[in-house]
Amino acid sequence: MTRLLLCLPLVCVLTLPLRAVDPCVSGTPVGKRPSPYSFLVATGPQRGQQTCYVCEQHEGNKPAVIVFARTTSDSVGKLVTKLDAAALAKKDAGGKVWMTLLADKADLDSLAKWAQKQGIKNAPVGVYEDEDGPPSYKLHKDADVTVLLFVKQKVTANFAFRAGELDDKAIESVLKAVPALFEAKPTERTEPVPQP
């Protein structure tokens, strides 16, 4: 009986790591419209300006990828670089990729240096000055990286990764969702014809 009581805690400890961790859910759900938000851009021609790329992409129902990140790790840089290359390969579709760092205070110089070191050429990188992110996006506090793909004003794919989860396999899972984003052709925005 004593042996059984002594072994029971050991069995419990050994089975804990086998329990699967629930996936992190963060951001606008698939099928819903991502809300416009502005952030301070650190790279490219709009450096130093508050910009709303969601607004621009909604205007023409164009495809887009938003990367919300709480850290500037090499794996985040690798993800943004690969997404940027995928968008550039389909530039005729009008797609855009950008990264929004969630931070209490913007340090545009450090962020621009990080983006340059990572080899991010075309995708704008900037800061939303609130660690929680834009309120309408409901970004989970445990999500170190949230990736949203949308076209025609609807999210088509949503990925969320806790700290340390964004590895090569996770990056590949995001990249596999990109071709479908560009297959959905954007519709032309039509203005009403004035009546005589």
Side-chain angles (χ1 to χ4, degrees), residues 52-71:
C52 178
Y53 292 120
V54 175
C55 302
E56 291 176 13
Q57 295 309 103
H58 280 349
E59 179 88 12
N61 289 318
K62 298 176 197 164
V65 181
I66 310 171
V67 177
F68 289 106
R70 290 193 161 93
T71 58

Side-chain angles (χ1 to χ4, degrees), residues 141-154:
K141 290 192 182 296
D142 290 346
D144 187 50
V145 179
T146 302
V147 184
L148 301 174
L149 287 73
F150 72 89
V151 67
K152 296 182 181 178
Q153 303 185 31
K154 289 199 175 164

Side-chain angles (χ1 to χ4, degrees), residues 107-128:
D107 183 348
L108 298 186
D109 291 337
S110 292
L111 189 55
K113 285 177 187 169
W114 172 82
Q116 185 177 19
K117 179 184 170 201
Q118 298 298 320
I120 300 169
K121 294 181 174 37
N122 191 54
V125 174
V127 180
Y128 186 86

Side-chain angles (χ1 to χ4, degrees), residues 12-77:
C12 290
V13 169
L14 291 175
T15 57
L16 282 177
L18 299 176
R19 199 176 128 233
V21 177
D22 292 333
C24 189
V25 176
S26 178
T28 307
V30 171
K32 298 293 183 184
R33 183 181 190 267
S35 299
Y37 74 94
S38 292
F39 70 114
L40 193 57
V41 179
T43 61
Q46 288 148 333
R47 178 181 163 81
Q49 297 174 27
Q50 287 285 339
T51 305
C52 178
Y53 292 120
V54 175
C55 302
E56 291 176 13
Q57 295 309 103
H58 280 349
E59 179 88 12
N61 289 318
K62 298 176 197 164
V65 181
I66 310 171
V67 177
F68 289 106
R70 290 193 161 93
T71 58
T72 52
S73 66
D74 287 343
S75 58
V76 172

Side-chain angles (χ1 to χ4, degrees), residues 150-167:
F150 72 89
V151 67
K152 296 182 181 178
Q153 303 185 31
K154 289 199 175 164
V155 173
T156 59
N158 174 318
F159 300 89
F161 305 99
R162 292 180 178 91
E165 289 181 348
L166 187 64
D167 56 12

Side-chain angles (χ1 to χ4, degrees), residues 67-107:
V67 177
F68 289 106
R70 290 193 161 93
T71 58
T72 52
S73 66
D74 287 343
S75 58
V76 172
K78 186 175 186 179
L79 171 67
V80 175
T81 302
K82 288 184 177 249
L83 288 169
D84 191 29
L88 282 172
K90 301 277 190 179
K91 66 181 177 183
D92 292 344
K96 190 168 199 75
V97 173
W98 66 92
M99 185 192 114
T100 304
L101 179 67
L102 307 176
D104 280 336
K105 190 173 180 198
D107 183 348

Side-chain angles (χ1 to χ4, degrees), residues 1-10:
M1 180 73 164
T2 306
R3 281 187 183 169
L4 180 62
L5 290 175
L6 291 174
C7 291
L8 190 56
L10 182 60

